[in-house]
Amino acid sequence: MTEAWGPDDDDDQQRRGASGPVRVRVPAKVNLHLGVGPLRRDGYHELNTVYHAISIYDELTARRGDTLTLTMEGEGTGELALDDTNLAIRAARALAGYAGVPPHVRLHLRKQIPLAGGLAGGSADAAAALVACDALWGTGLSRDELAGIAADLGSDVPFLIYGGTALGTGRGEAVSPVLARANSWHWVVAIADGGLSTPAAYAELDRLREAGAAGPPLGSTDGLLAALRQRDPRVLAASLGNDLQDAALAMRPSLAGTLKAGEAAGALASIVSGSGPTCVFLAANADDADRIAAELATAGVCRQARTAHGPVPGARIG
Ligand code: C5P
């Protein structure tokens, strides 16, 4: 815990923080391996996952203000709550409480990561809010301290503080970076109409497992980590896996057609991202990714197809 500031230190603290707006860019994540273990007593599942940050970004701007406010622009943002249930607002409050400063900031979010898409858009915004408010308020926390606060906000939030490629254990909040060359892999991201609820996808997986209708659980992440080191997309393609995919397909059967269409267009592998409904496809190179995205966009199997590369850094100023 850092030392709390008293009221007399307010001016000093203002001087230490940024006076102008702070702009933070934060990426979406995909899970290259999402191994879901048993349901724990706290309602979470034990995870064994490899996170990977890709070049689709939300942008958050933090300005000085007298209260805590949030405004948003971007597709579908009208559906998002702007109150204390919003993860970006909760992140600002959590940091202010931890550092002992007033939670005064005007946040503005430009969203490009689809809502409830399995790309951790809400978690990304919370990570961005922590990094932006830390700079604006001059609280000067380390990434590890910010990740500690992030863990209470959501299982994916700590990863988005770091970005890159990382192993996630516990309920996903315990993150250790995996050394990987930046921008090594080329992806196509097929964004669906509407979202899927993450708790519902986990509950559906439990139901399928109880009924003996789920596929065998993924094993360790060792194969995937070895594939990442080989830097051959064909080897990586064979190692991708997601235990939540059966659940997402049960909830949204049309995703099977999206996955097939990507493979027919030449993707090396196709997988549901996190709890879906976004599907991601591994391409052999950037040109192939462009071609696959164009084919998916005209095949009528998704709302939008975009290319992305990874790994990219997590929430960063600038
Ligand atoms: O951590 P987060 O708030 O993002 O999780 C949202 C929901 O997803 C949880 O309430 C839980 O239902 C489910 N979940 C889970 N096991 C995890 C992570 C999330 O069951 N490891």
Side-chain angles (χ1 to χ4, degrees):
M1 195 75 179
T2 55
E3 227 173 88
W5 276 296
D8 292 342
D9 297 324
D10 263 0
D11 287 350
D12 191 26
Q13 177 223 326
Q14 294 258 338
R15 274 196 295 277
R16 269 185 276 174
S19 54
V22 177
R23 211 179 62 200
V24 169
R25 205 162 74 137
V26 64
K29 70 89 192 142
V30 296
N31 302 79
L32 305 181
H33 174 114
L34 179 47
V36 180
L39 179 62
R40 308 191 317 196
R41 290 164 72 110
D42 63 1
Y44 287 90
H45 293 74
E46 196 65 24
L47 295 191
N48 197 12
T49 189
V50 176
Y51 292 113
H52 181 73
I54 59 167
S55 60
I56 294 178
Y57 299 97
D58 281 356
E59 192 183 281
L60 181 85
T61 307
R63 294 183 172 81
R64 291 203 173 276
D66 301 326
T67 55
L68 173 51
T69 60
L70 172 65
T71 50
M72 280 195 233
E73 62 185 293
E75 218 176 322
T77 49
E79 301 158 36
L80 277 180
L82 294 173
D83 59 16
D84 279 16
T85 59
N86 186 289
L87 219 47
I89 297 230
R90 282 176 45 207
R93 276 202 202 292
L95 173 61
Y98 180 90
V101 301
H104 294 168
V105 59
R106 288 183 292 143
L107 298 172
H108 182 74
L109 195 51
R110 283 180 57 186
K111 279 206 76 65
Q112 290 197 47
I113 306 174
L115 308 180
L119 296 171
S123 302
D125 301 340
L130 290 175
V131 170
C133 291
D134 180 57
L136 188 76
W137 296 336
T139 41
L141 301 194
S142 67
R143 293 236 153 223
D144 289 350
E145 280 177 294
L146 292 176
I149 301 171
D152 290 336
L153 296 165
S155 308
D156 293 338
V157 186
F159 168 67
L160 290 154
I161 296 279
Y162 300 108
T165 304
L167 204 56
T169 52
R171 58 178 231 277
E173 89 290 5
V175 175
S176 29
V178 171
L179 277 184
R181 208 169 40 153
N183 305 327
S184 312
W185 310 106
H186 298 278
W187 304 97
V188 178
V189 179
I191 297 166
D193 273 322
L196 280 180
S197 147
T198 300
Y202 277 100
E204 178 65 16
L205 176 62
D206 291 338
R207 201 190 60 74
L208 289 173
R209 282 180 170 171
E210 250 176 63
L218 289 176
S220 87
T221 51
D222 292 353
L224 182 88
L225 296 175
L228 283 169
R229 285 194 291 273
Q230 288 189 49
R231 298 190 177 170
D232 178 344
R234 280 171 186 80
V235 174
L236 182 64
S239 306
L240 300 175
N242 178 2
D243 278 342
L244 281 180
Q245 181 158 314
D246 285 341
L249 286 170
M251 294 163 73
R252 188 77 69 86
S254 63
L255 293 181
T258 312
L259 295 173
K260 259 199 201 125
E263 278 172 24
L268 301 176
S270 58
I271 191 168
V272 170
S273 178
S275 53
T278 305
C279 294
V280 289
F281 305 90
L282 180 61
N285 52 52
D287 287 345
D288 269 19
D290 285 341
R291 201 179 39 70
I292 294 162
E295 277 193 39
L296 284 173
T298 54
V301 292
C302 58
R303 178 165 61 80
Q304 194 192 4
R306 304 178 54 167
T307 58
H309 55 82
V312 297
R316 291 288 181 280
I317 295 171

